[in-house]
Amino acid sequence: SVHLVRQKFWWVVLLATLPLGVVSEVESLAPEPHSAGAALETLAIRGLGTAVLEAVIGLVLVELAYQLIALDQAREAVGSAAG
């Protein structure tokens, strides 16, 4: 993984950490429960909202991994064709 990330380090950091910051902000924006209804609302926001955002993060990271692998293979193909 270090081999793949080395060429695009800052893009990887941005794409891997920015969504995690969004998830933590969503959790902090949820209201504090003061009653049973508010507790259910908080669980819905934190539970469903976080689940959706974490699924998106997983998909972004998987796509990022595939893109890095493709870039690495293309670079190796160019290197072997030139050599």
Side-chain angles (χ1 to χ4, degrees), residues 38-57:
L40 290 175
E41 182 180 331
T42 300
L43 286 174
I45 291 171
R46 288 185 181 166
L48 295 175
T50 302
V52 169
L53 287 173
E54 287 182 1
V56 169
I57 290 169

Side-chain angles (χ1 to χ4, degrees), residues 2 7 9-10 14 16-17 19 26 32 38-40 46 50 56 58 61 68 74 77 80-81 83:
V2 172
Q7 301 295 321
F9 178 76
W10 291 111
L14 177 69
T17 59
V26 166
E32 292 297 321
L40 290 175
R46 288 185 181 166
T50 302
V56 169
L61 293 177
L68 290 171
S80 65

Side-chain angles (χ1 to χ4, degrees), residues 11-82:
W11 284 108
V12 172
V13 168
L14 177 69
L15 289 173
T17 59
L18 186 63
L20 293 174
V22 171
V23 168
S24 68
E25 285 299 315
V26 166
E27 290 178 351
S28 69
L29 292 175
E32 292 297 321
H34 298 291
S35 65
L40 290 175
E41 182 180 331
T42 300
L43 286 174
I45 291 171
R46 288 185 181 166
L48 295 175
T50 302
V52 169
L53 287 173
E54 287 182 1
V56 169
I57 290 169
L59 292 172
V60 167
L61 293 177
V62 167
E63 182 61 28
L64 176 62
Y66 281 125
Q67 291 293 325
L68 290 171
I69 290 168
L71 287 171
D72 188 55
Q73 289 173 345
R75 189 183 59 176
E76 287 179 3
V78 169
S80 65

